[in-house]
Amino acid sequence: MDKENKIICAVSGATGAIGKAIARQLAIKANHKVVLIVRDQGKAEQALATLKSETGNEEIYYEIVDLSRKVSIKALAGRWKGPLHILVNNAAVTPRRRGETPQGIEMQFATNVLGYFWMMESFAQILSSSAPARVVNVASYWAGDLDIDDLEFSRRRYNNNEAYRQSKQANRMLTVAFADQLRPKGITVNACHPGDVNSALSNNLGFGGHEAPDQAARTPTWLATDPIVREVTGKYFSDMREEYCRFGQDRELVEELYKKCLEY
C-alpha cells in the first residue's frame, strides 16, 4: 500500500462494459484508488463521472493510452507516480476488417496480445516495488486457433472471430510465462474468463450475451482482491473456480510465443 494505505489499481479497457464493471467493483472496496486506462478521452470523462457517482469514491482517475502501441504504454509507465498493487489487463478490440497500427502490426494482435504483454513488461518493476501485487489477465473460454507462424494473419485470410480466439489463447499462454517470471518478484499473474456480456466487442463477433456486466466482472475482481487466491499464480479461472487450461500446459509453445512477443 502507499503512504495513505491506498491499494492502487489500474484497469485497461475501462470504458467498455466489463472493464467499467471491474473498475466499479474495485472502487467500492475500502481504500482502493482506481486508474482507468483508456483510449478515448470523451468516454474516459463520462466513465469517470459515472463511477464516482455510483461508488462515492473520489479516488478514481484516468490515463489516456493507446494499448496497441508500445511507445504509449512505455510512456505511461514512465510517468507513473507511486505504487501499483493491482493491474487488470482487460482491453480488447475485434475489428471486422484486418487493420494495422502505425507500426504495421495487425490490430487485434497488437491490442489484445501485445498490449497485455507490454503492460506486464513495462510495469514489472513498479509492481515488484509495490509487492505483494497481482496481475489479472481477462481472457476467455472462447480461445484457440493460434498459429505461431502467422500471428498477424499475414498468410491466413483474416477473420475477426478467429483472430479474437487466437488472442485469448495467447493471453492464457502469456499468463503462464509471466507468472513464472514474476513469481520471485512477489507478483502473481492469473487469467480468467469473465462472462458473456452483450457488448460492442461481442456484437462485432456476431454474438450477444446473457450476463450483466457486474456478473461478468466478479471473477476478475475476485482474482484481484480476494485473500484466498493471494498466493495462486499462473492459473486460469472461470466462475471463481480454477479450470484446467490446455494452452498453458504446452510449455514449449508458451516459451515460443513469449519470445515472439519480445521481438516487437
mmCIF file of all heavy atoms in Angstrom, residues 70 105 109 113-114 117-118 121 146-152 155 170 173-174 177-178 252-264:
data_model
loop_
_atom_site.group_PDB
_atom_site.id
_atom_site.type_symbol
_atom_site.label_atom_id
_atom_site.label_comp_id
_atom_site.label_asym_id
_atom_site.label_seq_id
_atom_site.Cartn_x
_atom_site.Cartn_y
_atom_site.Cartn_z
ATOM 1 N N LYS A 70 3.457 0.260 -28.292
ATOM 2 C CA LYS A 70 4.419 0.061 -27.206
ATOM 3 C C LYS A 70 4.881 1.394 -26.634
ATOM 4 O O LYS A 70 5.023 1.549 -25.414
ATOM 5 C CB LYS A 70 5.612 -0.739 -27.715
ATOM 6 C CG LYS A 70 6.623 -1.131 -26.651
ATOM 7 C CD LYS A 70 7.713 -2.006 -27.248
ATOM 8 C CE LYS A 70 8.681 -2.507 -26.191
ATOM 9 N NZ LYS A 70 9.724 -3.385 -26.783
ATOM 10 N N ILE A 105 1.591 -3.409 -37.295
ATOM 11 C CA ILE A 105 1.212 -4.641 -36.594
ATOM 12 C C ILE A 105 -0.295 -4.824 -36.696
ATOM 13 O O ILE A 105 -1.051 -3.868 -36.485
ATOM 14 C CB ILE A 105 1.624 -4.588 -35.111
ATOM 15 C CG1 ILE A 105 3.117 -4.239 -34.972
ATOM 16 C CG2 ILE A 105 1.325 -5.920 -34.419
ATOM 17 C CD1 ILE A 105 3.537 -3.956 -33.545
ATOM 18 N N PHE A 109 -3.866 -8.384 -32.752
ATOM 19 C CA PHE A 109 -2.675 -8.923 -32.107
ATOM 20 C C PHE A 109 -1.977 -7.834 -31.302
ATOM 21 O O PHE A 109 -1.541 -8.058 -30.163
ATOM 22 C CB PHE A 109 -1.726 -9.524 -33.147
ATOM 23 C CG PHE A 109 -0.488 -10.129 -32.556
ATOM 24 C CD1 PHE A 109 -0.557 -11.273 -31.781
ATOM 25 C CD2 PHE A 109 0.757 -9.551 -32.769
ATOM 26 C CE1 PHE A 109 0.583 -11.830 -31.212
ATOM 27 C CE2 PHE A 109 1.908 -10.098 -32.210
ATOM 28 C CZ PHE A 109 1.814 -11.245 -31.433
ATOM 29 N N VAL A 113 -3.054 -8.835 -27.524
ATOM 30 C CA VAL A 113 -1.947 -9.688 -27.082
ATOM 31 C C VAL A 113 -0.747 -8.848 -26.644
ATOM 32 O O VAL A 113 -0.337 -8.885 -25.490
ATOM 33 C CB VAL A 113 -1.524 -10.681 -28.183
ATOM 34 C CG1 VAL A 113 -0.382 -11.569 -27.686
ATOM 35 C CG2 VAL A 113 -2.706 -11.536 -28.616
ATOM 36 N N LEU A 114 -0.204 -8.068 -27.572
ATOM 37 C CA LEU A 114 0.969 -7.269 -27.225
ATOM 38 C C LEU A 114 0.640 -6.200 -26.192
ATOM 39 O O LEU A 114 1.485 -5.851 -25.367
ATOM 40 C CB LEU A 114 1.562 -6.628 -28.486
ATOM 41 C CG LEU A 114 2.160 -7.609 -29.492
ATOM 42 C CD1 LEU A 114 2.627 -6.866 -30.743
ATOM 43 C CD2 LEU A 114 3.313 -8.399 -28.883
ATOM 44 N N PHE A 117 1.042 -7.938 -23.012
ATOM 45 C CA PHE A 117 2.465 -8.244 -22.872
ATOM 46 C C PHE A 117 3.246 -6.994 -22.451
ATOM 47 O O PHE A 117 4.019 -7.007 -21.489
ATOM 48 C CB PHE A 117 2.997 -8.792 -24.195
ATOM 49 C CG PHE A 117 4.431 -9.238 -24.153
ATOM 50 C CD1 PHE A 117 4.748 -10.569 -23.893
ATOM 51 C CD2 PHE A 117 5.466 -8.351 -24.388
ATOM 52 C CE1 PHE A 117 6.072 -10.992 -23.853
ATOM 53 C CE2 PHE A 117 6.791 -8.763 -24.350
ATOM 54 C CZ PHE A 117 7.094 -10.088 -24.088
ATOM 55 N N TRP A 118 3.040 -5.900 -23.191
ATOM 56 C CA TRP A 118 3.776 -4.663 -22.909
ATOM 57 C C TRP A 118 3.411 -4.069 -21.560
ATOM 58 O O TRP A 118 4.261 -3.484 -20.882
ATOM 59 C CB TRP A 118 3.540 -3.648 -24.022
ATOM 60 C CG TRP A 118 4.140 -4.028 -25.352
ATOM 61 C CD1 TRP A 118 5.272 -4.760 -25.552
ATOM 62 C CD2 TRP A 118 3.638 -3.685 -26.638
ATOM 63 N NE1 TRP A 118 5.510 -4.901 -26.907
ATOM 64 C CE2 TRP A 118 4.521 -4.241 -27.594
ATOM 65 C CE3 TRP A 118 2.531 -2.958 -27.101
ATOM 66 C CZ2 TRP A 118 4.331 -4.099 -28.975
ATOM 67 C CZ3 TRP A 118 2.329 -2.815 -28.465
ATOM 68 C CH2 TRP A 118 3.228 -3.377 -29.392
ATOM 69 N N GLU A 121 5.224 -6.223 -18.993
ATOM 70 C CA GLU A 121 6.655 -5.970 -19.129
ATOM 71 C C GLU A 121 7.017 -4.587 -18.580
ATOM 72 O O GLU A 121 7.976 -4.434 -17.815
ATOM 73 C CB GLU A 121 7.042 -6.084 -20.609
ATOM 74 C CG GLU A 121 8.509 -5.875 -20.918
ATOM 75 C CD GLU A 121 8.770 -5.924 -22.424
ATOM 76 O OE1 GLU A 121 8.151 -5.129 -23.168
ATOM 77 O OE2 GLU A 121 9.576 -6.766 -22.841
ATOM 78 N N LEU A 146 -4.574 -20.484 -32.512
ATOM 79 C CA LEU A 146 -3.288 -19.790 -32.572
ATOM 80 C C LEU A 146 -2.363 -20.450 -33.582
ATOM 81 O O LEU A 146 -2.155 -21.664 -33.556
ATOM 82 C CB LEU A 146 -2.630 -19.756 -31.194
ATOM 83 C CG LEU A 146 -1.348 -18.916 -31.097
ATOM 84 C CD1 LEU A 146 -1.312 -18.131 -29.802
ATOM 85 C CD2 LEU A 146 -0.100 -19.792 -31.202
ATOM 86 N N ASP A 147 -1.822 -19.634 -34.479
ATOM 87 C CA ASP A 147 -0.820 -20.078 -35.449
ATOM 88 C C ASP A 147 0.460 -19.321 -35.149
ATOM 89 O O ASP A 147 0.577 -18.132 -35.449
ATOM 90 C CB ASP A 147 -1.307 -19.789 -36.878
ATOM 91 C CG ASP A 147 -0.364 -20.342 -37.944
ATOM 92 O OD1 ASP A 147 0.835 -20.552 -37.646
ATOM 93 O OD2 ASP A 147 -0.814 -20.539 -39.089
ATOM 94 N N ILE A 148 1.413 -19.987 -34.538
ATOM 95 C CA ILE A 148 2.631 -19.328 -34.082
ATOM 96 C C ILE A 148 3.440 -18.751 -35.243
ATOM 97 O O ILE A 148 4.231 -17.826 -35.049
ATOM 98 C CB ILE A 148 3.493 -20.319 -33.254
ATOM 99 C CG1 ILE A 148 4.558 -19.581 -32.429
ATOM 100 C CG2 ILE A 148 4.114 -21.387 -34.149
ATOM 101 C CD1 ILE A 148 4.018 -18.718 -31.328
ATOM 102 N N ASP A 149 3.198 -19.246 -36.444
ATOM 103 C CA ASP A 149 3.927 -18.759 -37.619
ATOM 104 C C ASP A 149 3.142 -17.716 -38.419
ATOM 105 O O ASP A 149 3.623 -17.226 -39.438
ATOM 106 C CB ASP A 149 4.297 -19.931 -38.536
ATOM 107 C CG ASP A 149 5.249 -20.899 -37.865
ATOM 108 O OD1 ASP A 149 6.222 -20.427 -37.245
ATOM 109 O OD2 ASP A 149 5.011 -22.126 -37.934
ATOM 110 N N ASP A 150 1.935 -17.390 -37.930
ATOM 111 C CA ASP A 150 1.122 -16.388 -38.630
ATOM 112 C C ASP A 150 0.266 -15.625 -37.617
ATOM 113 O O ASP A 150 -0.956 -15.549 -37.736
ATOM 114 C CB ASP A 150 0.246 -17.067 -39.689
ATOM 115 C CG ASP A 150 -0.451 -16.070 -40.610
ATOM 116 O OD1 ASP A 150 0.118 -14.981 -40.855
ATOM 117 O OD2 ASP A 150 -1.569 -16.361 -41.071
ATOM 118 N N LEU A 151 0.925 -15.049 -36.644
ATOM 119 C CA LEU A 151 0.219 -14.370 -35.550
ATOM 120 C C LEU A 151 -0.542 -13.136 -36.010
ATOM 121 O O LEU A 151 -1.513 -12.720 -35.369
ATOM 122 C CB LEU A 151 1.219 -13.980 -34.455
ATOM 123 C CG LEU A 151 1.873 -15.148 -33.708
ATOM 124 C CD1 LEU A 151 3.018 -14.645 -32.838
ATOM 125 C CD2 LEU A 151 0.846 -15.901 -32.866
ATOM 126 N N GLU A 152 -0.127 -12.556 -37.141
ATOM 127 C CA GLU A 152 -0.744 -11.312 -37.616
ATOM 128 C C GLU A 152 -1.664 -11.509 -38.829
ATOM 129 O O GLU A 152 -2.052 -10.549 -39.475
ATOM 130 C CB GLU A 152 0.336 -10.296 -37.956
ATOM 131 C CG GLU A 152 1.169 -9.856 -36.781
ATOM 132 C CD GLU A 152 2.092 -8.712 -37.141
ATOM 133 O OE1 GLU A 152 1.593 -7.721 -37.727
ATOM 134 O OE2 GLU A 152 3.299 -8.808 -36.869
ATOM 135 N N ARG A 155 -0.601 -14.471 -43.658
ATOM 136 C CA ARG A 155 -0.780 -15.564 -44.613
ATOM 137 C C ARG A 155 -2.231 -16.034 -44.654
ATOM 138 O O ARG A 155 -2.801 -16.245 -45.734
ATOM 139 C CB ARG A 155 0.148 -16.731 -44.233
ATOM 140 C CG ARG A 155 -0.045 -17.997 -45.068
ATOM 141 C CD ARG A 155 0.980 -19.058 -44.699
ATOM 142 N NE ARG A 155 1.095 -19.277 -43.252
ATOM 143 C CZ ARG A 155 0.242 -20.012 -42.537
ATOM 144 N NH1 ARG A 155 -0.824 -20.562 -43.111
ATOM 145 N NH2 ARG A 155 0.433 -20.181 -41.246
ATOM 146 N N ALA A 170 -3.583 -16.716 -26.615
ATOM 147 C CA ALA A 170 -2.286 -16.108 -26.319
ATOM 148 C C ALA A 170 -2.274 -15.481 -24.927
ATOM 149 O O ALA A 170 -1.278 -15.596 -24.192
ATOM 150 C CB ALA A 170 -1.951 -15.067 -27.380
ATOM 151 N N MET A 173 -1.737 -18.214 -22.460
ATOM 152 C CA MET A 173 -0.373 -18.731 -22.521
ATOM 153 C C MET A 173 0.636 -17.761 -21.906
ATOM 154 O O MET A 173 1.525 -18.158 -21.148
ATOM 155 C CB MET A 173 -0.012 -19.039 -23.974
ATOM 156 C CG MET A 173 -0.814 -20.177 -24.576
ATOM 157 S SD MET A 173 -0.651 -20.278 -26.379
ATOM 158 C CE MET A 173 1.073 -20.768 -26.526
ATOM 159 N N LEU A 174 0.492 -16.487 -22.220
ATOM 160 C CA LEU A 174 1.428 -15.496 -21.684
ATOM 161 C C LEU A 174 1.256 -15.313 -20.177
ATOM 162 O O LEU A 174 2.201 -14.928 -19.485
ATOM 163 C CB LEU A 174 1.253 -14.163 -22.407
ATOM 164 C CG LEU A 174 1.717 -14.150 -23.864
ATOM 165 C CD1 LEU A 174 1.310 -12.846 -24.556
ATOM 166 C CD2 LEU A 174 3.229 -14.362 -23.974
ATOM 167 N N ALA A 177 3.693 -17.696 -18.783
ATOM 168 C CA ALA A 177 5.064 -17.217 -18.967
ATOM 169 C C ALA A 177 5.418 -16.136 -17.952
ATOM 170 O O ALA A 177 6.487 -16.166 -17.320
ATOM 171 C CB ALA A 177 5.243 -16.702 -20.393
ATOM 172 N N PHE A 178 4.525 -15.158 -17.782
ATOM 173 C CA PHE A 178 4.807 -14.068 -16.851
ATOM 174 C C PHE A 178 4.682 -14.516 -15.400
ATOM 175 O O PHE A 178 5.380 -13.975 -14.523
ATOM 176 C CB PHE A 178 3.892 -12.885 -17.139
ATOM 177 C CG PHE A 178 4.412 -11.965 -18.202
ATOM 178 C CD1 PHE A 178 4.001 -12.108 -19.520
ATOM 179 C CD2 PHE A 178 5.336 -10.979 -17.907
ATOM 180 C CE1 PHE A 178 4.487 -11.277 -20.522
ATOM 181 C CE2 PHE A 178 5.834 -10.135 -18.893
ATOM 182 C CZ PHE A 178 5.416 -10.285 -20.210
ATOM 183 N N GLU A 252 6.431 -25.552 -24.245
ATOM 184 C CA GLU A 252 7.293 -25.245 -25.383
ATOM 185 C C GLU A 252 6.681 -24.136 -26.241
ATOM 186 O O GLU A 252 7.370 -23.191 -26.642
ATOM 187 C CB GLU A 252 7.525 -26.505 -26.227
ATOM 188 C CG GLU A 252 8.525 -26.317 -27.352
ATOM 189 C CD GLU A 252 8.832 -27.605 -28.085
ATOM 190 O OE1 GLU A 252 8.737 -28.693 -27.487
ATOM 191 O OE2 GLU A 252 9.168 -27.513 -29.297
ATOM 192 N N LEU A 253 5.376 -24.252 -26.501
ATOM 193 C CA LEU A 253 4.699 -23.234 -27.299
ATOM 194 C C LEU A 253 4.571 -21.926 -26.515
ATOM 195 O O LEU A 253 4.672 -20.838 -27.103
ATOM 196 C CB LEU A 253 3.318 -23.728 -27.742
ATOM 197 C CG LEU A 253 2.603 -22.882 -28.802
ATOM 198 C CD1 LEU A 253 3.423 -22.801 -30.088
ATOM 199 C CD2 LEU A 253 1.210 -23.460 -29.110
ATOM 200 N N VAL A 254 4.354 -22.019 -25.207
ATOM 201 C CA VAL A 254 4.307 -20.826 -24.355
ATOM 202 C C VAL A 254 5.609 -20.047 -24.475
ATOM 203 O O VAL A 254 5.612 -18.824 -24.665
ATOM 204 C CB VAL A 254 4.036 -21.209 -22.876
ATOM 205 C CG1 VAL A 254 4.343 -20.030 -21.945
ATOM 206 C CG2 VAL A 254 2.593 -21.657 -22.686
ATOM 207 N N GLU A 255 6.717 -20.755 -24.382
ATOM 208 C CA GLU A 255 8.025 -20.105 -24.470
ATOM 209 C C GLU A 255 8.263 -19.510 -25.854
ATOM 210 O O GLU A 255 8.815 -18.403 -25.987
ATOM 211 C CB GLU A 255 9.127 -21.117 -24.145
ATOM 212 C CG GLU A 255 10.537 -20.557 -24.161
ATOM 213 C CD GLU A 255 10.790 -19.496 -23.093
ATOM 214 O OE1 GLU A 255 10.033 -19.456 -22.098
ATOM 215 O OE2 GLU A 255 11.740 -18.706 -23.264
ATOM 216 N N GLU A 256 7.804 -20.215 -26.890
ATOM 217 C CA GLU A 256 7.979 -19.708 -28.252
ATOM 218 C C GLU A 256 7.157 -18.435 -28.462
ATOM 219 O O GLU A 256 7.632 -17.472 -29.075
ATOM 220 C CB GLU A 256 7.578 -20.778 -29.267
ATOM 221 C CG GLU A 256 7.937 -20.412 -30.696
ATOM 222 C CD GLU A 256 7.684 -21.523 -31.695
ATOM 223 O OE1 GLU A 256 7.255 -22.633 -31.282
ATOM 224 O OE2 GLU A 256 7.898 -21.281 -32.897
ATOM 225 N N LEU A 257 5.924 -18.422 -27.949
ATOM 226 C CA LEU A 257 5.088 -17.225 -28.079
ATOM 227 C C LEU A 257 5.708 -16.058 -27.324
ATOM 228 O O LEU A 257 5.737 -14.927 -27.837
ATOM 229 C CB LEU A 257 3.682 -17.507 -27.554
ATOM 230 C CG LEU A 257 2.720 -16.309 -27.523
ATOM 231 C CD1 LEU A 257 2.463 -15.776 -28.927
ATOM 232 C CD2 LEU A 257 1.408 -16.681 -26.833
ATOM 233 N N TYR A 258 6.196 -16.315 -26.130
ATOM 234 C CA TYR A 258 6.830 -15.267 -25.338
ATOM 235 C C TYR A 258 8.003 -14.650 -26.098
ATOM 236 O O TYR A 258 8.145 -13.417 -26.167
ATOM 237 C CB TYR A 258 7.299 -15.829 -23.996
ATOM 238 C CG TYR A 258 7.978 -14.813 -23.109
ATOM 239 C CD1 TYR A 258 7.235 -13.946 -22.313
ATOM 240 C CD2 TYR A 258 9.371 -14.709 -23.082
ATOM 241 C CE1 TYR A 258 7.862 -13.002 -21.509
ATOM 242 C CE2 TYR A 258 10.004 -13.760 -22.285
ATOM 243 C CZ TYR A 258 9.242 -12.917 -21.500
ATOM 244 O OH TYR A 258 9.865 -11.982 -20.717
ATOM 245 N N LYS A 259 8.824 -15.482 -26.688
ATOM 246 C CA LYS A 259 9.992 -14.993 -27.436
ATOM 247 C C LYS A 259 9.572 -14.206 -28.677
ATOM 248 O O LYS A 259 10.186 -13.197 -29.016
ATOM 249 C CB LYS A 259 10.889 -16.163 -27.820
ATOM 250 C CG LYS A 259 11.647 -16.755 -26.642
ATOM 251 C CD LYS A 259 12.513 -17.931 -27.070
ATOM 252 C CE LYS A 259 13.309 -18.474 -25.880
ATOM 253 N NZ LYS A 259 14.101 -19.672 -26.250
ATOM 254 N N LYS A 260 8.489 -14.651 -29.318
ATOM 255 C CA LYS A 260 7.981 -13.918 -30.490
ATOM 256 C C LYS A 260 7.519 -12.516 -30.085
ATOM 257 O O LYS A 260 7.774 -11.543 -30.781
ATOM 258 C CB LYS A 260 6.821 -14.678 -31.137
ATOM 259 C CG LYS A 260 7.220 -15.978 -31.818
ATOM 260 C CD LYS A 260 7.219 -15.828 -33.314
ATOM 261 C CE LYS A 260 7.447 -17.178 -33.992
ATOM 262 N NZ LYS A 260 7.521 -17.040 -35.453
ATOM 263 N N CYS A 261 6.829 -12.443 -28.947
ATOM 264 C CA CYS A 261 6.337 -11.140 -28.473
ATOM 265 C C CYS A 261 7.488 -10.203 -28.096
ATOM 266 O O CYS A 261 7.374 -8.984 -28.265
ATOM 267 C CB CYS A 261 5.399 -11.332 -27.288
ATOM 268 S SG CYS A 261 3.815 -12.133 -27.700
ATOM 269 N N LEU A 262 8.554 -10.769 -27.620
ATOM 270 C CA LEU A 262 9.720 -9.962 -27.267
ATOM 271 C C LEU A 262 10.327 -9.252 -28.473
ATOM 272 O O LEU A 262 11.005 -8.230 -28.328
ATOM 273 C CB LEU A 262 10.813 -10.843 -26.628
ATOM 274 C CG LEU A 262 10.736 -11.128 -25.142
ATOM 275 C CD1 LEU A 262 11.866 -12.071 -24.738
ATOM 276 C CD2 LEU A 262 10.785 -9.842 -24.315
ATOM 277 N N GLU A 263 10.065 -9.782 -29.650
ATOM 278 C CA GLU A 263 10.642 -9.220 -30.872
ATOM 279 C C GLU A 263 9.961 -7.908 -31.284
ATOM 280 O O GLU A 263 10.488 -7.173 -32.128
ATOM 281 C CB GLU A 263 10.563 -10.237 -32.005
ATOM 282 C CG GLU A 263 11.398 -11.494 -31.763
ATOM 283 C CD GLU A 263 11.170 -12.558 -32.807
ATOM 284 O OE1 GLU A 263 10.379 -12.304 -33.762
ATOM 285 O OE2 GLU A 263 11.751 -13.652 -32.690
ATOM 286 N N TYR A 264 8.794 -7.626 -30.718
ATOM 287 C CA TYR A 264 8.035 -6.439 -31.108
ATOM 288 C C TYR A 264 8.449 -5.218 -30.274
ATOM 289 O O TYR A 264 8.815 -5.345 -29.138
ATOM 290 C CB TYR A 264 6.539 -6.674 -30.956
ATOM 291 C CG TYR A 264 5.972 -7.591 -32.010
ATOM 292 C CD1 TYR A 264 5.975 -8.965 -31.823
ATOM 293 C CD2 TYR A 264 5.450 -7.080 -33.201
ATOM 294 C CE1 TYR A 264 5.440 -9.812 -32.784
ATOM 295 C CE2 TYR A 264 4.912 -7.934 -34.158
ATOM 296 C CZ TYR A 264 4.917 -9.290 -33.952
ATOM 297 O OH TYR A 264 4.385 -10.129 -34.908
#
